[in-house]
Every structure is written in structure tokens, then in C-alpha cells.
Amino acid sequence: MSYSGQDTDVCIVGGGPAGLAAAIAARKKGFSVIVADGAAPPIDKSCGEGMMPETLAALESLGAKFEHGEGQNFRGISFIQESAHVSADFSREQGIGLRRPVLQGRLVERAEECGVQLLWNSPVTGIVGGVDAGSVQLPKRTIRARWIVGADGQGSRVRRWSGLNSLARVRQRYASRRHYRIKPWSSYMEIHWAGNIQAYVTPIGKEEVCVVVMAQAAKENLFESALREMPWLGEKLSGAQLGSRERGAVSSMRTLRHAQRHNVALVGDASGGVDAITGEGLRLAFQQAIALADAMAANDLTQYQRAHRKLAHRPRLMSHLMLWLGRNPRIRSRVIRVMQENPHLLSRLLATHTGEESASQLVSAGARLGLRLLAR
Ligand SMILES: Cc1cc2nc3c(=O)[nH]c(=O)nc-3n(C[C@H](O)[C@H](O)[C@H](O)COP(=O)(O)OP(=O)(O)OC[C@H]3O[C@@H](n4cnc5c(N)ncnc54)[C@H](O)[C@@H]3O)c2cc1C
């Protein structure tokens, strides 16, 4: 169904995970959808490549499927610092580690199957949003649409063009990703801590792991210095071949006042994000995409604004907690040791992280952890 005088109901800028998910969700509501991306598949990106059970549930509701043997399951999360080590399992489903181009390929297939029109190598150079309609400018074409969706990532230009950039709070960290050809040594997604640096390791295949290192300040040779500070991890990786070229990234935790204005809405990293260490970026993107389609079907983008705020609440809380642990090495050491002695505390934290427990239960688990810390 296309409104008269328009080329499409929905025009989406950006064909990354958020844009493709938004396209699929909108098609499922019966809207005509065009996606324009400046690049072309396979699109790779610096990412930890870990998808939590809730991320997979959202993907499944969009109808995206993986082939047997793609990616690698993981059963929970481990925190590791020197000799301290604590793990907790997801209570129901497992997570999956999957290379980004594979994830994107599956989303592209699903979008095509749903009838989404995909324009690759098509950078958007401007938009004109309005109260009722707008247009999206490509180098050789203008697309008139009822709704315009900015899914153009962290540095979103749609955010700027539509006036949604103002009053944003941003906290940035620096990251780098490598793939190593090595049999995963753990069935958990591991978060390693040392000083002000973290590394997380996701099993992504029978013979491959993805490693992301993160630090507060930009550093040359971030990977080498992280592995020097974490010799226990460096030893595991020594001698393993690299499976791709190293990719750097900035991880931003951005809070926007609004994710929608008139007929323009933002999804995924364009709409603000959480720190990469939470492994929640993809889940948020997929759940936002579904909420946005519901709001378009109700012809009320303010409904999306409310859903967006609610979805961001828990991951943001978790981001703050992880960043606080990252900045306070001495407290963190004690926290990990207390968790090692009381592994149910990490299980509770994980249950909150995956949405099985509420944010208030996180506060109560935090209080219990605080009491144990004081008792040490
Ligand atoms: C180091 C790191 C590790 C991470 N690890 C995890 C993890 O383990 N698990 C997890 O769930 N999340 C993780 N994340 C977060 C996750 O990667 C992001 O949330 C996710 O990529 C957001 O997808 P997106 O579609 O919003 O943006 P992107 O993936 O950035 O896609 C944006 C798309 O828009 C296109 N585009 C940009 N500008 C234009 C334009 N003008 N015209 C047309 N197209 C345009 C780009 O080509 C791109 O394809 C991590 C992030 C970082 C930085």
C-alpha cells in the first residue's frame, strides 16, 4: 500500500542489521519498503559478533534463519581477571556467535523474500522530512516516502539532517576486533578484565573465535597492549593465525532526547546506543525495528518514541554498571572474587541482562553483592 504521489511507504537509509530488520518488520505490516545503502554486501563491521538469547528471539520473530552449522552456540557469560573466574549460564536458550557478513547475508535474504526493494551502492545525500511526507535524495534519484527511517549507524547523518542530534549525551570508547583461527576453548562468551582494558571473546565457529579489546583512551597497538596486560589470554591466542584483518571502531553510548520527529524515525545505532561490552546493540536494533513497524501501522510514531525509551532502559543500566566496573579495577577485583564465591550473583545479573529479571531485581542483586563486599 503506497500513499498517492509517493514512491514508497517507507524509505530506509542504511542496510545494516537495524535497517534490514526495520524493512522486514515494515513489509510484514504490508508497507512498501525501499532500503538504500552506500555500500554493498558482504558488509563487515567491527563487532563482538555475540547474539544473546533475546537477540535471537527477535531475529526469529522477523523470520530470519541460519543454516545448520553456521556460527557457534555459547551457553552463558564468564568474567575473568587473572586467576579469578566466574561463569553463569543463560537460564533457557543459548546465544550464538556469528560473523557479521553471515548475519547480514541472512537478513538480506529474508528482506528479499519479503519483497523489500534493496538499493546497494546508493549513498543518501540528504533528506527532506515534513509533517506528512518527505523525500530521500540519492545521487541520481529522489525517493518520496510517507516515512523515512534513519538506520545509518553511529555517525548517522539522518539524525543530523532531521534535527534529532541535539541534546545528545555521548560517551565514547575505543575498540579493535580480530578473528583468530583456533578451536574455542570455552562454551561461554568471555569478558576479560585488566586495568582499564577489557577484552571479550566470542566463539563464532568450530575453529574460530572473535576477540574485541576495548579501552577508554585511543591507543596505538591497542590489541598488543591489551594482550600484554592479559597474559592469560595472550597465551591462549599465541600462535593462532588471524582469520581476518584487524578492524578498529569507536563504541558510543549515546542518549538522544528523541528518536522520532514528524515522519522521520531512527533505529539501531543511529538512535543512540549502548557500550559494546554489553553485547546488546543488535538486540536493541531488532526490537526497535519491530516496535517501529507497530507504530507505523498505528500511524503514530510517538508510540515508537515511548517503546524506544523503554527498550533502552535496561541495557543502559547494564552499560553504566560495566563501565563503572571497568573504571574501578580494585572494586572490580573484589566483585569478581565475591561472585566467584557466590556464582548465583552473576546468574542474577545475567538474568537481568537477558530480560528474565527486572531492573529492580538488578538493584536487589546489587545490594546483596554490596553486602557481601562489605563482609569481606
Ligand atoms: C567493537 C564493537 C563490538 C560490538 N559487539 C557487539 C556484540 O557482540 N553483540 C551485539 O549485539 N552488538 C555489538 N555491537 C553493537 C553492534 O555492532 C551495533 O549495535 C550494530 O552494528 C548496529 O547496527 P546498525 O544497522 O544500526 O548500524 P551499522 O551496522 O553501522 O549499519 C549502518 C549502515 O548504514 C549505511 N550508511 C551509513 N550512512 C549512509 C548513507 N548516507 N546512505 C546510505 N547508507 C548509509 C552503512 O553503509 C551501513 O551499512 C558492537 C559494537 C562495537 C563497536
Side-chain angles (χ1 to χ4, degrees):
M1 69 166 144
S2 229
Y3 286 69
S4 61
Q6 279 151 9
D7 303 307
T8 185
D9 294 321
V10 188
C11 183
I12 300 177
V13 184
L20 292 169
I24 296 165
R27 271 303 293 144
K28 285 178 69 173
K29 297 283 182 193
F31 295 116
S32 54
V33 185
I34 297 178
V35 175
D37 196 297
I43 301 177
D44 198 2
K45 197 189 166 226
S46 184
C47 182
E49 302 177 328
M51 291 192 284
M52 306 292 164
E54 260 195 312
T55 315
L56 296 171
L59 260 183
E60 200 175 309
S61 75
L62 293 168
K65 293 190 185 75
F66 305 119
E67 280 163 24
H68 183 68
E70 269 176 341
Q72 183 73 16
N73 287 353
F74 55 92
R75 55 196 280 202
I77 305 286
S78 294
F79 278 9
I80 299 164
Q81 177 164 305
E82 292 177 61
S83 59
H85 187 153
V86 57
S87 301
D89 286 20
F90 299 122
S91 64
R92 289 193 293 265
E93 308 295 327
Q94 301 214 330
I96 291 186
L98 188 73
R99 276 227 194 189
R100 273 296 284 254
V102 180
L103 170 65
Q104 211 222 3
R106 295 292 160 260
L107 286 166
V108 167
E109 277 169 22
R110 178 66 183 138
E112 283 170 343
E113 190 180 281
C114 292
V116 174
Q117 201 183 328
L118 298 166
L119 307 178
W120 301 113
N121 297 314
S122 302
V124 170
T125 53
I127 64 158
V128 181
V131 177
D132 293 319
S135 54
V136 172
Q137 262 121 46
L138 277 77
K140 292 190 184 150
R141 166 174 186 198
T142 298
I143 301 170
R144 281 183 54 77
R146 168 79 184 90
W147 285 292
I148 297 170
V149 178
D152 48 343
Q154 277 189 49
S156 174
R157 294 169 79 194
V158 174
R159 189 171 63 221
R160 196 151 33 88
W161 293 330
S162 55
L164 288 165
N165 217 10
S166 57
L167 295 166
R169 255 177 297 139
V170 190
R171 186 176 265 178
Q172 293 189 318
R173 299 206 301 150
Y174 298 86
S176 198
R177 180 215 69 188
R178 283 183 185 175
H179 291 121
Y180 285 90
R181 292 196 202 287
I182 185 171
K183 190 178 168 64
W185 55 85
S186 167
S187 51
Y188 292 88
M189 185 174 181
E190 293 183 336
I191 302 182
H192 296 257
W193 309 80
N196 293 317
I197 290 187
Q198 295 98 51
Y200 60 105
V201 182
T202 316
I204 56 166
K206 298 258 173 295
E207 299 289 336
E208 191 163 41
V209 298
C210 172
V211 184
V212 167
V213 297
M214 303 197 64
Q216 202 61 45
K219 275 189 187 186
E220 265 185 57
N221 303 321
L222 175 60
F223 231 103
E224 272 68 29
S225 61
L227 294 184
R228 261 197 309 278
E229 288 196 41
M230 299 175 183
W232 63 91
L233 178 60
E235 265 168 41
K236 285 204 188 304
L237 296 170
S238 77
Q241 274 187 351
L242 291 183
S244 65
R245 77 173 176 83
E246 186 172 338
R247 268 181 190 269
V250 172
S251 167
S252 304
M253 191 161 125
R254 176 179 277 109
T255 311
L256 299 183
R257 273 274 171 93
H258 300 286
Q260 152 279 327
R261 185 164 183 236
H262 301 318
N263 63 329
V264 181
L266 305 174
V267 284
D269 283 3
S271 71
V274 287
D275 190 84
I277 198 156
T278 61
E280 288 272 48
L282 293 168
R283 174 178 79 78
L284 267 179
F286 299 149
Q287 291 183 338
Q288 287 163 358
I290 294 165
L292 176 57
D294 287 339
M296 289 192 294
N299 199 17
D300 178 11
L301 285 192
T302 61
Q303 177 183 314
Y304 173 61
Q305 178 65 61
R306 289 190 293 278
H308 187 277
R309 196 162 291 148
K310 204 165 161 200
L311 286 170
H313 180 66
R314 183 166 43 86
R316 196 153 287 147
L317 212 62
M318 198 56 72
S319 269
H320 283 299
L321 178 65
M322 299 292 264
L323 291 178
W324 179 77
L325 286 175
R327 284 193 306 271
N328 292 285
R330 288 183 59 205
I331 298 178
R332 184 181 65 236
S333 297
R334 292 173 65 198
V335 166
I336 295 178
R337 293 220 176 269
V338 167
M339 284 182 169
Q340 195 175 12
E341 289 156 19
N342 305 274
H344 66 279
L345 289 172
L346 184 58
S347 303
R348 298 287 305 275
L349 194 66
L350 192 57
T352 313
H353 189 47
T354 56
E356 288 158 38
E357 291 196 4
S358 65
S360 59
Q361 280 163 312
L362 172 65
V363 174
S364 95
R368 227 161 298 159
L369 176 62
L371 286 175
R372 305 250 183 210
L373 281 172
L374 288 173
R376 275 177 74 86

